[in-house]
Amino acid sequence: GGVAAHGNATTKEGNNLFKAGDMHGAICCYTKALKLSDSQADCAVLHRNRSACYLKLEDYTKAEADASKALDADAADVKARFRRAQAFQKLGQLDQAFLDAQRCAQLEPKNKAFQDLLRQLGAQIQQKLNSTDARVQQMFSLLSDTSAKDSDRLKAAQNLVVLSRDEAGAELIFRNDGVRLIQKLLASKQEEVVLSALRTLVGLCTGHQSRVSQLCTVMGSGTSTVSLAACHLLQVMFEALTEGMSREIRGKEEAILPGESGIIFIFLKWLTIVSGSGRDSAINLLVKQVPRKSLKMPDNSVTLWVIDQGLKKILEVAGTVPELSDGPPLTDNSHMSCSVLLSKLYDDLKSDKERENFSKLCEEYVQQHFGQPGLESKLRAIQTVSVLLQGPSDVGNRTLEMSGMMDAVISLCASKDVTHQQVAVEALIHAAGKAKRASFITANGVALLKDLYKKSENDRIRVRALVGLCKLGSAGGTDFSMKQFAEGSTLKLAKQCRKWLCNESLPPTSRRWSVEGLAYLTFDADVKEDLVEDKNALQAMFELAKSEDKTVLFAVGSTLVNCTNSYDVEKPDPQMVELAKYAKQHVPEEHPKDSPSFVEKRLVKLLEAGVVSALVCMVKQESPALTESCRECIARVFLALVERQEDRGTVVAQGAGKALIPLASDNTDTGKIKAAQALAKITITSNPEIAFPGERIYEVVRPLVSLLSLECTLLQNFESLMALTNLAGISERLRQKIIKEKAVAKVEGYMFEEHELVRAAATECMCNMVLSTEVQKLFLATGNDRLKLLVLYSGEEDERLRKAAAGTLAMLTAEQPELCARIPATTTHWLEILQALLLSEIVDLRHRGVVIVHNMMQADKSLAETLMESEALEILSVLAKGGEAGPNPASKIAQHCLDKAIEYGIIKSREAKETEGTGP
């Protein structure tokens, strides 16, 4: 009650200052009262009052924000709505002001102030429309006038963008046949004008389905070389169309909306005309928009349509060899993006028939080029096979097995032309990764690759040959004794990779291949040790991870997973090992330098070299190359980096908190768990409000709750409970979020866990959750054992569990006094349990015990009598005297208990006893 009373006093003081005209003083009071208040209704009133102060001070942005907060709590609050309408009017947001004023007038039709504001706004809007109309026509005539100055036309084009974002302006642009004009602008020689035209289209389309369809018909003919802005436009158009049309609702006959297919059609058309970066954006959008979001959705018609209309176009990009053809320009990411797109389309297919059709189309395309005379078309076929092997590898394998293909690859590896050689070597390497072919390639390829590595004059070829050797040699995985290479050669190869990695004169794509090599070689612990010691190599690798070329992400991720040993190691069963040795079978061995002490030192070195900022940067990439397996690698490394408590501060300071949240929601199943566990570790030891500032803290709840499942380990359950305990202690809004994520029942389940640490952590979490009235109501409900469990746990031996259970009881009996009377029914030992708390050596337990007894005595006289007839009376009398150090909090509460008993007339006060004793 103390806090509420204090808050009320502050509010009154604010109201008085407001009446006296001291707006700044009133704002201070309301702000203070807001901090003290827990009640939503009170907060709404305070926000409304503070909004009035800001209006008077002409700070309209803050006035609008406060009025909106008041309306969030109570949408029918007319005063707040009127204030918001006034603020909007002053901010020039007339449409919104009009809507608010209209709502006010509907709620109170007789209110003159509301009617006046409505009239005023109506007039202002009309005036704005008239002036807008004139402005649009003026702009259009300027833009159509080819003799006008470039700078004037650009200014007009930029004004058009501003107009398109305004509802009324957008309508006018459409009414004046603006789309045709915009299309002319798209063909302008001035890049700035083209950009403005695209931005205008984005403004027009945002959230408008009918307009998108109009636009698609108009734009289908455009062949402009405009990249990202145009893609953003298409994405907005696509989202406007699919918004409100989830795939389930679509009629079967009309599988794809005309507008939607129009847009995808433009994407596909773009694949073959636009600039490299524009094409990458188009591929990225197809990756995001075409496959079903979940395989539970029945309809994959969009994918089938894209395969039907566009697979050839995607393969055109896949088969382009940049140095050779006059084909579409590529970026370093184009081939990788195609692999990802082809994979996504293939995985979205539902039947063998659909998959067969996909494979056939790919085989036909490869065959068509492979069968033509001339080397260029053969190279195009081989390049396509490479991209398929990295994407839907089953399809890749089929194209690789076509007659003559493998022979062509092997003979081209010896070509004198470096470009030809490079295409062939890359195909060989991608083929080596697929187990089906690996044995054949091991037989023929190792000698070939060794030869290339030793004899080639060109580092571009040597680095690729080296990766091929690494790929074939890493068959033993992390198993130290299965290496196919002679001892020492792995170290030599790794040294060469590090040298290339640091060599800035090599093209970035070749340096990327050297990271691919390290991704394989770092299975060897000696290589890991050398790499973390080489600060230049680490920094070169991190720089590559942050660069434009995203195809390196997986190689960097894998290398870091290896160096931090954050892969899952299957520990062989000791009995099986004995048997295997007896049967002279091979037993996997662990390298001595993979022991925890070595790994820990490696982690420290990586942190010093700046690994966190590289990982944070990698997560930010909007690129198909950031695949789920790549995200899983990053999550694994983050988890390894926060393993040691003393490193967590550093990791958080460099932005890990922000990066881990998307990793916990968009990842492989394993990756999600790893990221969630890293979030839990951070939440346990850092101040969560600093590690996850602002709204981000609420996004941590769901990943933490996901760890409360039987699939997770007990350690993960335990860490999640500890982290949730921390969050639940921060604010009611966080507790509400935890309740909304359905965590309470899970926490209760873990209160029954056999492992005492987990059981105690769950009870601690409940102790904080019980601050929420909703959770208290669960204990008030009859027909369950929740209260009984708390009473019994308050008598357990485990100190941590006792503290948590007694703390929860103390809180519940204070907040919900009617529970007190139910305690005796929970167990026949309830009195002994309470007395044991009162007699405990541990101060915290004694204190909790006294509070529970006090709450019970306050709640019910007959309970007080039962307690006073027991040994509790004597214990309380001793406690009330305080210890050697004089009175403490517990002794004061003990005294209150005795005073209550006197008030009830159960016991007599000392004075009364003394007067009785002095009679005649």
Side-chain angles (χ1 to χ4, degrees), residues 174-198:
F174 266 101
R175 278 217 298 277
N176 291 306
D177 198 19
V179 180
R180 296 235 172 263
L181 177 72
I182 292 167
Q183 216 185 349
K184 278 192 199 135
L185 298 181
L186 285 174
S188 157
K189 296 278 178 287
Q190 268 179 283
E191 201 163 289
E192 298 290 316
V193 171
V194 176
L195 214 59
S196 297
L198 280 166

Side-chain angles (χ1 to χ4, degrees), residues 289-394:
Q289 301 287 7
V290 174
R292 292 168 288 170
K293 295 286 172 280
S294 128
L295 294 179
K296 293 195 184 89
M297 295 173 154
D299 179 17
N300 66 347
S301 54
V302 186
T303 296
L304 296 176
W305 190 87
V306 169
I307 291 171
D308 185 44
Q309 299 283 324
L311 186 59
K312 284 265 167 55
K313 296 194 173 84
I314 299 168
L315 294 173
E316 284 292 316
V317 182
T320 301
V321 179
E323 290 88 346
L324 287 184
S325 69
D326 41 58
L330 299 187
T331 70
D332 292 338
N333 298 308
S334 303
H335 283 148
M336 174 75 172
S337 300
C338 281
S339 291
V340 173
L341 175 57
L342 290 164
S343 234
K344 291 265 184 200
L345 293 173
Y346 188 71
D347 292 342
D348 199 40
L349 298 176
K350 293 196 297 194
S351 65
D352 288 346
K353 190 174 151 216
E354 291 174 0
R355 284 185 278 272
E356 186 54 41
N357 174 51
F358 184 99
S359 299
K360 237 167 118 175
L361 287 168
C362 293
E363 285 176 75
E364 280 165 14
Y365 179 86
V366 172
Q367 188 57 58
Q368 178 201 339
H369 286 283
F370 193 68
Q372 281 174 12
L375 254 183
E376 293 230 349
S377 51
K378 283 199 173 41
L379 284 164
R380 176 173 263 286
I382 293 174
Q383 179 58 52
T384 311
V385 172
S386 258
V387 169
L388 285 166
L389 282 166
Q390 290 177 85
S393 56
D394 296 350

Side-chain angles (χ1 to χ4, degrees), residues 565-841:
N565 287 39
S566 48
Y567 41 76
D568 297 324
V569 183
E570 289 291 318
K571 282 271 189 286
D573 171 15
Q575 284 179 313
M576 295 309 288
V577 173
E578 287 308 307
L579 286 170
K581 279 183 185 161
Y582 186 71
K584 296 201 168 44
Q585 282 169 343
H586 170 71
V587 182
E589 293 172 40
E590 187 184 63
H591 193 295
K593 286 183 186 169
D594 275 328
S595 64
S597 60
F598 276 95
V599 176
E600 198 169 292
K601 287 188 193 111
R602 290 203 284 269
L603 283 164
V604 174
K605 298 243 166 68
L606 286 168
L607 280 170
E608 285 166 4
V611 66
V612 178
S613 66
L615 292 170
V616 169
C617 204
M618 286 160 75
V619 176
K620 282 192 193 136
Q621 312 296 358
E622 271 292 312
S623 155
L626 186 65
T627 52
E628 284 204 327
S629 43
C630 190
R631 297 169 83 94
E632 181 186 314
C633 286
I634 300 173
R636 284 175 180 276
V637 177
F638 266 132
L639 179 57
L641 291 167
V642 294
E643 191 53 53
R644 295 188 342 148
Q645 218 164 319
E646 54 269 43
D647 295 332
R648 290 176 197 169
T650 321
V651 177
V652 169
Q654 292 172 6
K658 187 177 182 179
L660 279 163
I661 290 171
L663 288 174
S665 59
D666 182 6
N667 212 320
T668 61
D669 291 341
T670 310
K672 283 179 187 170
I673 288 177
K674 302 279 179 194
Q677 196 181 358
L679 284 169
K681 286 181 191 288
I682 291 172
T683 312
I684 292 169
T685 47
S686 320
N687 174 349
E689 294 177 276
I690 294 170
F692 310 106
E695 291 296 303
R696 205 172 295 150
I697 194 166
Y698 302 100
E699 296 177 49
V700 180
V701 175
R702 180 172 296 170
L704 293 179
V705 175
S706 71
L707 293 175
L708 294 180
S709 93
L710 296 174
E711 277 85 76
C712 296
T713 62
L714 266 185
L715 175 66
Q716 288 163 342
N717 301 157
F718 173 67
E719 289 182 325
S720 161
L721 290 164
M722 300 255 291
L724 287 168
T725 304
N726 266 356
L727 294 181
I730 292 174
S731 71
E732 179 56 28
R733 190 175 155 203
L734 269 167
R735 288 191 286 278
Q736 285 302 326
K737 175 75 178 154
I738 294 172
I739 293 168
K740 197 175 150 203
E741 293 295 340
K742 304 194 171 46
V744 179
K746 293 179 176 171
V747 173
E748 286 196 307
Y750 283 102
M751 286 172 70
F752 290 98
E753 175 57 53
E754 278 168 41
H755 195 293
E756 62 177 31
L757 275 173
V758 179
R759 192 171 51 191
T763 312
E764 284 171 348
C765 189
M766 185 54 76
C767 186
N768 278 348
M769 285 304 295
V770 101
L771 292 162
S772 268
T773 336
E774 274 168 71
V775 180
Q776 293 165 18
K777 285 184 185 145
L778 294 175
F779 286 88
L780 279 173
T782 47
N784 66 62
D785 286 341
R786 292 187 173 98
L787 192 65
K788 177 177 182 173
L789 188 68
L790 289 177
V791 178
L792 290 174
Y793 278 1
S794 302
E796 281 282 324
E797 278 180 17
D798 175 20
E799 183 188 324
R800 189 170 170 178
L801 179 63
R802 269 180 93 185
K803 276 186 187 169
T808 315
L809 264 184
M811 185 81 65
L812 276 171
T813 48
E815 295 290 327
Q816 303 289 348
E818 62 183 275
L819 281 173
C820 295
R822 297 196 204 158
I823 289 178
T826 55
T827 161
T828 46
H829 303 300
W830 69 278
L831 256 176
E832 294 155 42
I833 289 171
L834 286 179
Q835 286 167 5
L837 286 173
L838 295 175
L839 288 167
S840 170
E841 302 283 297

